[in-house]
Amino acid sequence: MSTPSPETIASTLAQGFAFTRRVPVLRRPDEYGLAYEDVTFPSQDCTPLEGWFIPADSDKLVIANHPMPANRYGYPGHLPQYATPFADFEINFLPDCKTSTTPATTSSPTTCATTATAPPPTAAWSASASSSTATS
């Protein structure tokens, strides 16, 4: 077996980033006792970026970005149809958001947010488009 050229490796990676398959949102914030609203943001290429707004009693904001091909919930790698040699386990971001919005003894709670484009004047948690920056 021959070693692929750097060009082949780069092309394969680029195709993987450009054409990542979408995965289902398996969990919702209310399953973790979090109030939330579904939100949508426009993107430059007209792909709607879907997310959650999860409020907290705080003047702080957390913007959490997800890696590709994950979405605002996480990644269902524990399901055979989505498992890969690199991710054959479930990734669930919601427990982290629950922790960051719950008051602690040493700090105030934060409002959780993530998106795939620039965030609006409010906060949200999680994005389901393949991008990494903003509120989802």
Side-chain angles (χ1 to χ4, degrees):
M1 179 175 212
S2 64
T3 303
S5 70
E7 292 81 12
T8 300
I9 293 170
S11 175
T12 301
L13 285 172
Q15 291 299 308
F17 286 127
F19 302 104
T20 300
R21 77 177 156 166
R22 303 289 296 264
V23 296
V25 176
L26 296 182
R27 309 203 188 290
R28 302 252 174 224
D30 58 349
E31 296 173 26
Y32 294 85
L34 295 166
Y36 77 101
E37 295 174 37
D38 289 309
V39 294
T40 304
F41 306 95
S43 68
Q44 288 182 339
D45 69 357
C46 299
T47 300
L49 306 176
E50 300 167 317
W52 296 318
F53 172 75
I54 301 175
D57 184 21
S58 175
D59 61 353
K60 295 183 171 73
L61 170 67
V62 173
I63 298 175
N65 298 305
H66 63 76
M68 290 176 21
N71 60 36
R72 59 191 173 272
Y73 127 78
Y75 184 77
H78 64 298
L79 299 176
Q81 65 269 39
Y82 300 106
T84 70
F86 306 106
D88 60 351
F89 51 89
E90 181 180 30
I91 298 169
N92 183 355
F93 302 128
L94 289 167
D96 290 333
C97 194
K98 171 77 174 172
T99 301
S100 68
T101 59
T102 304
T105 56
T106 57
S107 65
S108 63
T110 57
T111 300
C112 238
T114 78
T115 61
T117 56
T122 59
W125 166 261
S126 182
S128 54
S130 298
S131 180
S132 59
T133 184
T135 308
S136 46

